[in-house]
Amino acid sequence: MSAPAKPRRLTLRILRSTPGAHVEPQWQDFAIEEAEGMTLFIALNEVRQNLDPSLQFDFVCRAGICGSCGMLIDGRPGLACRTLTKDLGSTITLAPLPVFELIGDLSVNTGKWMRGTAERLETWIHSQQAPALTAMEAPMEPELAEAIYELDRCIECGCCVAGCGTLRMREDFVGAVGLNKIARFRLDPRDARSDEDFYDLIGDDSGVFGCMSLLGCHDVCPKGLPLQTQIAFLRRKMAVVGFK
Amino acid sequence: MRIVYTDVLVVGGGLAGLRAAVGARRRGLEVIILSLVPPKRSHSAAAQGGMQASLGNTARGAGDNEDVHFEDTVRGSDWGCDQEVARLFAHTAPQAVRELAAWGVPWNRVKAGEREVVVDGRRVSLAERPEAHGLIAARDFGGTKKWRTCFVSDGTGHAMLYAVSDQAVAESIPVHERCEAIALIHDAGRCHGAIVRNLVTGELSAYIARATCIATGGFGRIYRVTSNAVINEGIGAAIALETGVAELGNMEAVQFHPTTIVPAGILVTEGCRGDGGLLRDAAGHRFMPDYEPEKKELASRDVVSRRMEEHIRAGHGVKGRFGEHLWLDITLLGKAHIDGRLREVKEICQHFLGIDPARDLIPVRPAQHYSMGGIRTDASGQSTRLAGLFACGEAACWDLHGFNRLGGNSVAETVVAGMIVGETMADFVESSAGDLQVSTALVREFLEWEQARIDTLLHGDGSENATALMARMQSIMTDKVGIFRRGDLLESAVEELQQLLVRSRSIGIATRRPGANPELVPASRVQKMLTLALCVAYGALQRTESRGAHYREDHPRRNDADWLKRTLARWPDAGDTLPTLAYEPLDVTRMELPPGWRGYGAKDAIEHPATEARAAEIAAIRAAFGHADRYILQQALMPFEQLVPEPFRGRNERLGDTP
Ligand SMILES: Cc1cc2nc3c(=O)[nH]c(=O)nc-3n(C[C@H](O)[C@H](O)[C@H](O)COP(=O)(O)OP(=O)(O)OC[C@H]3O[C@@H](n4cnc5c(N)ncnc54)[C@H](O)[C@@H]3O)c2cc1C
Ligand code: SF4
Ligand code: SF4
Ligand code: FES
């Protein structure tokens, strides 16, 4: 890595808005100097610190782990904290994720949406009996545990939701995040629910049959979850239940 | 005046708070959780490497049990921990892992048969037992005798947090997100709940509770260079301190993690070294064996971090654009291993450094990582001085970790302490001690006081800049209250922090609108953070010895004769600029493991006068109980079962137990 001769001037073009303030959202430009290894986390904090202390955005882990900082970066959903400015042009547009309730500027209420999804899809292990804590754990095939983790890696960032065509038309669509969760619990032998139970949750147009397979979700998932194959698989399984 | 009533108020939606909430809810109580962020975004999600529990399923874990886990933890703590708590913890941790397994955590599992692993820089073959096939696996971590760290790739904290958070949803526990507890309501030694600011609307409300639990995590952000999330500002501990009643324990005990990437400070897990990764210097030399011939890269964190800084000081650091660093080498683990078990590490290297850790070395340097100190509680998790206030997780000083916590013991602590505090709070609420006895006048007084504080920030004529004060505090802490500490540096740190604290009392802000005003956030927090910073710096200045992570260059030896005691900090008067310190001795005559050498690090401790007699007594008990089973022997050495809540009693089953 060799340093550029002169640091670039960057323009962050940010969609500003305050819900309830009865003013239209507006684009506002902020000029900053690029630094070595600069991420959008660093850049936005610099704006807030030096140019506009009222700018709203959300970061927690700043390491691409917690899913707080999803936003539209040059129109595409992504995690701001792990986006390096050097990979972008000198004018960077930033806008809040659509679909979610807007809190202000780049901050949206993904938490509320995800809690709603968890309640609706009952994203927890349904089991008959409480575990005997001092007893040996039930064994599980190592490969199965790994396969479950593969789907468990979702960080509820909402990027797939923001990238989904169906969700822009149907508010009640569960999104790729929701379908992936069903796939995760379906795979888990500790969950006693049957395909019929899952069908009740997602066997209609607000669930797996609402998906148009345009795969906006798959391409933007920052964790690289296998959304495409999971959704297709789930659709086949649910179709079987539907025919019964 | 908006008042919310509940049986139990849990401040914090990380692993500790969530587990405590689920426990209390399952006892039939009404519970509300507050969190700055959606609970699944809490910093528990960032724990990568794993959770310690002595299941003993793997070949290198065979023979593990509570006794070994207990001893590792006490040695790790440099004898600073509460040994009864360490026992209670080691006993409950296997149950916590198994409960989480039942709740869906996809723990990595043992695969029977031969496999290749890297140990001490060499590839060796291990044979896993057929009867262990499918049971919960474990990896090696620093400062442990056995492979005991249960893991889910390197996303352990994430998987745990999601499972526990989903249990909270299953129990219909409401989480009031984007809400910040900004003060505790209390009088006459009793806590009645908290004043809470909604970070979206700016509105203040009072939450009145029979039991209040603080589970707000660590306070790493008082340092400039830290692995902690940006929300780890320690406000929970600070508001407890602000009561003037509750005590904070061992605030000077701050852990620095050996491997955070340079310059971002993002952590790469100890699992890298546990799985066989090495530390190298500018010349590519593996230097840890020169300093620590026995444990090498896998000595405890305080020791490894110190050795790394020592090695840099000796001129062996790699000079880079962001100062000096060393290398973490995991190339020898191979691509398949990294893709499977160190994938977060791989992603972090890719996104933040633009390198592939299967081929390239990772630039690392130690950074602030963990707060051993926090709200001082008894073994049941209740504040030692403020009734009705409980604490668990990193925010607490339950005192499992003493002066250094072992990797993997923290997420284990969060869940175990949550299990225990959930029960304790339920017991408390069901008893007459838990009756509500708060007047609305008192609540109004607290609300008005807090509203006035915010109004002063919004409309007052203060001129100090909060972010500037914050930045200065963080620099002082990193530069002067870091890995190597010295009397003169600490003195100047304390002096300047006091000045900053005084200045923080006249902060002004530019955005004068209420509601979601991001400028109000640092403005209202920096003063609280400064009180914590002062507890750390002043406690470190007073402690003229070295113990665990607290290392004084001018007092390099551990001094059990004078300092085998816990620092307790209180802030009795809001106008004070220093905490009031007191000390709580650790009783050698009751220790199951009397002070000695840790098995790594320096060997020059100044002995406590009672150590020898206690060691002799223990030898005698061991001789007398020579043929008894280990449970009976343990009971004779230091009984702790009275501390275990009813649902968690009984013996943990293991492979090969003889019934
Ligand atoms: C990068 C990293 C990696 C780690 N890896 C490991 C590991 O591998 N193994 C291990 O054992 N430990 C590890 N640790 C340590 C461990 O993750 C933490 O100590 C532990 O998760 C803390 O959990 P907690 O529940 O106490 O707090 P947190 O998870 O930090 O949760 C705190 C909660 O409190 C809320 N909160 C804070 N202040 C307020 C307030 N004023 N009002 C309302 N809510 C508030 C927050 O919103 C959050 O929900 C790691 C730590 C870091 C930083
Ligand atoms: S594939 Fe389905 S879930 Fe994914 S973006 Fe398209 S419609 Fe949405
Ligand atoms: S599936 Fe991927 S994009 Fe969607 S919420 Fe989960 S991590 Fe984000
Ligand atoms: S801040 Fe956590 S993912 Fe970006």
Side-chain angles (χ1 to χ4, degrees):
Chain A
M1 281 185 281
S2 66
K6 217 173 149 223
R8 283 197 301 173
R9 291 292 287 172
L10 298 178
T11 302
L12 299 192
R13 181 160 296 165
I14 301 176
L15 191 61
R16 304 290 309 265
S17 51
T18 317
H22 310 291
V23 265
E24 285 297 297
Q26 284 185 12
W27 292 98
Q28 188 178 355
D29 285 0
F30 297 97
I32 58 166
E33 189 168 288
E34 188 170 38
E36 169 93 21
M38 185 178 248
T39 58
L40 287 178
F41 163 72
I42 297 171
L44 282 168
N45 273 293
E46 206 171 298
V47 170
R48 179 142 94 189
Q49 208 156 321
N50 302 328
L51 302 173
D52 188 340
S54 71
L55 182 66
Q56 285 178 260
F57 49 75
D58 293 318
F59 289 99
V60 178
C61 72
R62 58 80 174 92
I65 289 169
C66 75
S68 297
C69 64
M71 56 182 76
L72 295 180
I73 304 164
D74 288 338
R76 188 185 155 86
L79 298 179
C81 72
R82 72 174 202 190
T83 302
L84 294 167
T85 54
K86 78 170 171 49
D87 297 333
L88 302 169
S90 58
T91 298
I92 303 166
T93 66
L94 300 175
L97 290 184
V99 182
F100 300 102
E101 175 186 286
L102 184 66
I103 291 175
D105 301 335
L106 301 172
S107 173
V108 294
N109 203 339
T110 49
K112 184 173 165 189
W113 200 94
M114 295 295 169
R115 169 93 186 201
T117 303
E119 287 172 356
R120 175 172 160 202
L121 301 181
E122 304 185 6
T123 57
W124 56 87
I125 296 286
H126 289 51
S127 71
Q128 259 60 34
Q129 73 244 82
L133 295 182
T134 51
M136 294 291 301
E137 66 274 16
M140 179 183 267
E141 280 306 310
E143 292 77 16
L144 179 57
E146 280 168 24
I148 295 171
Y149 175 60
E150 194 61 36
L151 306 184
D152 202 51
R153 294 179 74 233
C154 165
I155 56 173
E156 299 191 357
C157 63
C159 287
C160 59
V161 170
C164 174
T166 304
L167 258 159
R168 299 202 178 192
M169 296 175 313
R170 284 197 71 121
E171 240 184 54
D172 61 351
F173 181 53
V174 296
V177 53
L179 296 175
N180 176 67
K181 284 192 187 275
I182 293 296
R184 182 241 175 270
F185 285 96
R186 198 181 161 278
L187 190 60
D188 197 325
R190 297 167 290 198
D191 194 319
R193 283 178 287 184
S194 65
D195 272 351
E196 281 72 20
D197 297 326
F198 291 124
Y199 187 87
D200 288 343
L201 295 170
I202 55 157
D204 61 13
D205 283 354
S206 69
V208 75
F209 301 119
C211 166
M212 302 180 297
S213 305
L214 302 170
L215 300 175
C217 53
H218 188 93
D219 297 338
V220 297
C221 175
K223 289 283 138 177
L225 290 173
L227 300 174
Q228 178 176 6
T229 43
Q230 289 305 317
I231 293 172
F233 181 70
L234 206 54
R235 196 199 332 262
R236 284 201 303 277
K237 291 292 169 195
M238 291 299 115
V240 171
V241 180
F243 285 132
K244 275 192 194 158
Chain B
M1 184 160 73
R2 188 168 172 269
I3 303 186
V4 179
Y5 290 91
T6 180
D7 292 330
V8 174
L9 177 67
V10 177
V11 186
L15 276 171
L18 289 166
R19 182 59 187 84
V22 168
R25 181 81 194 93
R26 288 192 168 177
R27 291 273 301 266
L29 302 178
E30 198 188 331
V31 182
I32 294 175
I33 299 175
L34 302 175
S35 178
L36 299 175
V37 296
K40 286 173 176 164
R41 315 231 187 274
S42 302
H43 204 49
S44 291
Q48 299 168 357
M51 158 168 183
Q52 283 204 45
S54 59
L55 300 181
N57 291 328
T58 56
R60 291 279 181 134
D64 200 8
N65 59 33
E66 296 84 358
D67 299 349
V68 192
H69 192 184
F70 164 79
E71 291 205 0
D72 284 345
T73 301
V74 175
R75 288 178 204 279
S77 81
D78 220 354
W79 276 271
C81 74
D82 179 326
Q83 295 198 4
E84 290 180 353
V85 166
R87 264 292 170 192
L88 170 60
F89 163 76
H91 164 79
T92 316
Q95 301 181 33
V97 171
R98 287 169 172 163
E99 180 180 74
L100 290 165
W103 287 357
V105 172
W107 295 114
N108 190 281
R109 301 288 171 143
V110 178
K111 195 174 171 65
E114 297 272 322
R115 68 186 175 112
E116 275 212 337
V117 295
V118 178
V119 177
D120 197 12
R122 277 169 300 127
R123 286 202 164 264
V124 296
S125 176
L126 280 185
E128 297 295 353
R129 298 168 288 177
E131 64 272 27
H133 186 77
L135 297 178
I136 295 171
R139 59 161 43 124
D140 200 7
F141 248 47
T144 62
K145 285 217 178 72
K146 300 280 179 187
W147 291 22
R148 187 188 298 126
T149 304
C150 308
F151 64 101
V152 183
S153 180
D154 60 349
T156 313
H158 166 89
M160 293 170 67
L161 184 64
Y162 273 52
V164 182
S165 187
D166 284 334
Q167 282 297 317
V169 181
E171 297 289 344
S172 308
I173 301 172
V175 182
H176 296 188
E177 297 175 4
R178 296 181 188 260
C179 283
E180 176 176 358
I182 56 170
L184 291 176
I185 305 166
H186 66 100
D187 71 341
R190 172 79 162 93
C191 177
H192 309 292
I195 303 294
V196 175
R197 180 165 180 270
N198 181 317
L199 295 170
V200 176
T201 63
E203 190 194 5
L204 295 194
S205 350
Y207 283 62
I208 307 296
R210 278 122 80 83
T212 305
C213 177
I214 296 207
T216 49
F219 50 82
R221 286 280 156 179
I222 66 172
Y223 283 83
R224 185 183 68 228
V225 189
T226 172
S227 67
N228 283 196
V230 298
I231 60 167
N232 288 18
E233 300 188 309
I235 301 307
I239 61 177
L241 182 68
E242 224 173 55
T243 62
V245 184
E247 294 164 330
L248 305 187
N250 282 347
M251 292 294 283
E252 66 271 32
V254 175
Q255 178 170 83
F256 297 82
H257 194 291
T259 58
T260 69
I261 63 170
V262 177
I266 297 171
L267 183 104
V268 287
T269 173
E270 183 158 317
C272 291
R273 282 170 292 132
D275 291 0
L278 306 174
L279 290 168
R280 299 188 187 280
D281 62 17
H285 171 63
R286 180 186 176 197
F287 59 92
M288 276 309 293
D290 306 345
Y291 295 100
E292 296 293 330
E294 285 185 40
K295 294 294 284 182
K296 302 170 185 147
E297 280 84 359
L298 289 172
S300 63
R301 286 179 181 172
D302 56 328
V303 171
V304 178
S305 290
R306 233 159 15 237
R307 298 305 196 187
M308 289 170 71
E309 290 296 328
E310 205 177 324
H311 203 61
I312 290 175
R313 282 182 174 189
H316 302 298
V318 186
K319 291 176 185 57
R321 206 187 316 282
F322 303 100
E324 292 184 76
H325 63 80
L326 293 160
W327 298 116
L328 172 64
D329 179 1
I330 58 170
T331 59
L332 66 167
L333 306 186
K335 183 173 162 4
H337 183 94
I338 292 170
D339 286 348
R341 300 208 172 160
L342 295 169
R343 43 200 298 183
E344 295 298 332
V345 169
K346 182 180 166 175
E347 279 190 17
I348 287 167
C349 287
Q350 251 167 15
H351 289 283
F352 295 93
L353 296 167
I355 63 169
D356 173 3
R359 285 199 333 244
D360 309 315
L361 304 184
I362 309 170
V364 292
R365 188 158 187 178
Q368 192 285 343
H369 179 58
Y370 186 80
S371 322
M372 272 78 73
I375 299 168
R376 178 74 188 125
T377 71
D378 59 22
S380 80
Q382 183 159 204
S383 161
T384 43
R385 294 176 61 110
L386 194 54
L389 180 68
F390 299 78
C392 58
E394 193 172 340
C397 179
W398 189 29
D399 221 356
L400 171 64
H401 310 298
F403 276 76
N404 175 65
R405 107 165 141 89
L406 294 181
N409 258 358
S410 176
V411 289
E413 177 195 17
T414 60
V415 183
V416 167
M419 289 162 82
I420 287 163
V421 170
E423 297 300 322
T424 317
M425 287 196 295
D427 292 342
F428 177 83
V429 169
E430 286 167 5
S431 74
S432 60
D435 290 345
L436 266 188
Q437 332 143 319
V438 58
S439 74
T440 40
L442 182 78
V443 177
R444 180 183 303 280
E445 199 182 302
F446 272 88
L447 255 178
E448 283 172 356
W449 173 255
E450 292 303 322
Q451 189 61 58
R453 274 169 110 171
I454 289 172
D455 291 345
T456 310
L457 286 174
L458 284 174
H459 310 296
D461 51 9
S463 57
E464 292 289 351
N465 179 308
T467 41
L469 295 180
M470 182 93 81
R472 185 64 204 136
M473 166 188 71
Q474 290 166 331
S475 288
I476 295 171
M477 293 305 288
T478 290
D479 298 341
K480 298 182 177 174
V481 199
I483 297 183
F484 289 102
R485 298 171 174 181
R486 225 172 54 210
D488 55 334
L489 288 177
L490 291 170
E491 249 166 58
S492 82
V494 169
E495 198 180 300
E496 205 186 332
L497 289 169
Q498 283 180 284
Q499 289 162 7
L500 295 181
L501 179 62
V502 172
R503 287 169 57 192
S504 75
R505 290 170 182 161
S506 38
I507 286 173
I509 60 178
T511 330
R512 292 182 173 243
R513 68 157 199 252
N517 181 346
E519 212 186 345
L520 259 180
V521 172
S524 62
R525 288 184 192 161
V526 68
Q527 194 173 324
K528 293 186 166 78
M529 293 169 75
L530 277 162
T531 60
L532 297 182
L534 275 157
C535 289
V536 176
Y538 190 57
L541 173 62
Q542 299 302 316
R543 185 173 283 272
T544 48
E545 66 152 356
S546 293
R547 183 180 298 276
H550 170 71
Y551 187 81
R552 287 282 300 258
E553 291 182 274
D554 45 353
H555 300 277
R557 296 170 71 186
R558 190 179 88 207
N559 182 348
D560 293 338
D562 298 313
W563 284 103
L564 195 57
K565 51 192 182 188
R566 186 173 294 124
T567 309
L568 300 175
R570 278 196 312 128
W571 206 281
D573 189 307
D576 289 348
T577 60
L578 278 182
T580 300
L581 299 188
Y583 293 92
E584 175 188 359
L586 303 186
D587 188 356
V588 177
T589 65
R590 290 175 50 208
M591 286 182 183
E592 179 173 342
L593 188 66
W597 182 51
R598 304 167 84 189
Y600 42 80
K603 266 187 191 167
D604 55 358
I606 300 167
E607 201 173 291
H608 189 279
T611 299
E612 208 181 307
R614 178 60 180 161
E617 202 173 5
I618 286 173
I621 299 174
R622 282 188 189 279
F625 285 79
H627 299 291
D629 75 15
R630 64 184 183 87
Y631 297 96
I632 295 180
L633 170 64
Q634 195 287 317
Q635 176 80 11
L637 292 171
M638 188 186 71
F640 73 98
E641 277 194 346
Q642 73 285 358
L643 301 174
V644 183
E646 186 59 39
F648 312 129
R649 299 214 172 140
R651 293 179 181 183
N652 297 310
E653 274 181 26
R654 286 189 184 77
L655 262 192
D657 276 351
T658 35

